[in-house]
Amino acid sequence: MKKKDNPGLGMAIPKRVRIAGMTFYLRKGQVIGRESATHEKRSNTLPQFVQRQKMRHTTMLWKMLRFCNPMFTERRTAYQNFASLANQLPAIYVPDDGSMNQSSFLMPGIPVSDGILTMVKQELGEVGGRPALITDLKKSDRTYHTKLRLYTAVQTIENNVLPRVRFSMREVSWWDMTEVEGHLALVGEEFADEMKGWALVKVMDDRCSRQTIVTRCTLFEQYTTEEALEVAADSYGGLTETPYLSPR
């Protein structure tokens, strides 16, 4: 193919080249870009579809979480760090009907931080008959330089149709915690809410612990089934390869 020199770019390029869905070509010495038109159907095998659904949900979760200034310090960017952890969550299958593409779901294991400090083990339970977030922290862990951040996730249904998770963060005092059998817990009626989840993060200067959400919320489960996969895949035009589904 004959090539022309483009002084503006300081390099030789073909008359026409396609990159990432765009076609670039020369016109009167200038490089013009246009969106490529193609009628070629994109491959959509089961593994590809599962990964795309995971990434869709990861992106939606991050759009909500990033406003809380979460600490992810173990990769080049906070989003890369979050995405590498969130990719381990179960796939959420939602149909391609417009509004559901913006959905996000509260589930156990959503990462809210990643760092080098020791992880705080935590679970939902009761202390003295009251709902509580029980941790493995002890009084001896309490230091002047160690701060605690409580991340709260709330499952909402916007406009009665769109599930979304909203996140918030607040600092809590060591003195807000109750000792139970040698461990510290946050006690309050909020910890009985089945549409909420929590993660307590330990912070020292620019270091933090890796923590994920604990929750009783189960709304997400109906979007992880084989039936949900089939409905979602059909809405995207079906799978390139038919997945093996266990007998009902």
Side-chain angles (χ1 to χ4, degrees):
M1 180 182 293
K2 185 178 179 181
K3 298 181 180 180
K4 291 186 179 181
D5 291 331
N6 183 359
L9 294 178
M11 60 184 291
I13 65 171
K15 285 185 176 180
R16 187 181 298 267
V17 63
R18 179 179 295 174
I19 302 175
M22 296 289 292
T23 298
F24 297 90
Y25 57 92
L26 283 171
R27 176 183 290 174
K28 296 181 180 179
Q30 292 186 329
V31 178
I32 307 297
R34 292 284 187 272
E35 184 176 357
S36 299
T38 178
H39 300 289
E40 191 175 312
K41 185 177 180 180
R42 182 171 69 163
S43 175
N44 196 30
T45 65
L46 177 59
Q48 288 172 333
F49 181 69
V50 170
Q51 188 56 37
R52 287 166 185 158
Q53 290 286 286
K54 282 190 174 187
M55 286 308 301
R56 184 211 65 81
H57 193 231
T58 291
T59 300
M60 291 302 106
L61 288 173
W62 179 251
K63 284 184 176 181
M64 299 291 106
L65 179 61
R66 64 190 176 95
F67 294 109
C68 298
N69 297 317
M71 295 179 69
F72 289 92
T73 64
E74 301 307 292
R75 294 221 174 187
R76 179 182 298 181
T77 69
Y79 174 71
Q80 288 177 347
N81 200 165
F82 170 81
S84 69
L85 298 173
N87 191 55
Q88 300 171 34
L89 294 170
I92 297 291
Y93 305 114
V94 296
D96 183 27
D97 67 355
S99 61
M100 287 300 288
N101 285 331
Q102 303 300 312
S103 63
S104 55
F105 294 85
L106 176 56
M107 61 172 63
I110 296 175
V112 298
S113 65
D114 190 20
I116 64 174
L117 297 185
T118 305
M119 179 183 291
V120 179
K121 294 181 181 179
Q122 46 202 286
E123 62 181 15
L124 294 170
E126 290 188 350
V127 172
R130 298 185 64 199
L133 179 65
I134 303 170
T135 78
D136 67 347
L137 292 171
K138 301 178 181 180
K139 281 187 176 180
S140 59
D141 295 316
R142 186 170 57 202
T143 69
Y144 176 77
H145 296 289
T146 306
K147 310 296 182 183
L148 299 174
R149 293 183 179 181
L150 181 65
Y151 286 82
T152 301
V154 182
Q155 180 72 76
T156 62
I157 307 296
E158 298 181 2
N159 300 318
N160 296 318
V161 295
L162 177 59
R164 266 189 174 162
V165 182
R166 299 284 182 179
F167 296 89
S168 62
M169 184 276 289
R170 72 177 190 267
E171 290 195 3
V172 298
S173 169
W174 287 91
W175 308 107
D176 293 334
M177 305 191 77
T178 300
E179 187 174 15
V180 52
E181 298 182 355
H183 297 289
L184 298 178
L186 287 170
V187 181
E189 295 305 316
E190 67 171 308
F191 298 112
D193 195 326
E194 295 184 353
M195 296 295 276
K196 290 184 178 181
W198 301 268
L200 190 67
V201 179
K202 186 166 56 177
V203 178
M204 294 181 67
D205 300 321
D206 59 351
R207 294 168 292 165
C208 68
S209 57
R210 175 189 290 189
Q211 302 298 158
T212 60
I213 291 289
V214 294
T215 181
R216 297 186 179 93
C217 188
T218 59
L219 176 66
F220 75 96
E221 292 178 354
Q222 62 187 283
Y223 295 93
T224 63
T225 65
E226 292 177 349
E227 288 77 10
L229 187 159
E230 289 185 89
V231 170
D234 286 346
S235 73
Y236 282 89
L239 297 175
T240 303
E241 298 173 355
T242 302
Y244 171 79
L245 300 180
S246 59
R248 291 175 177 78

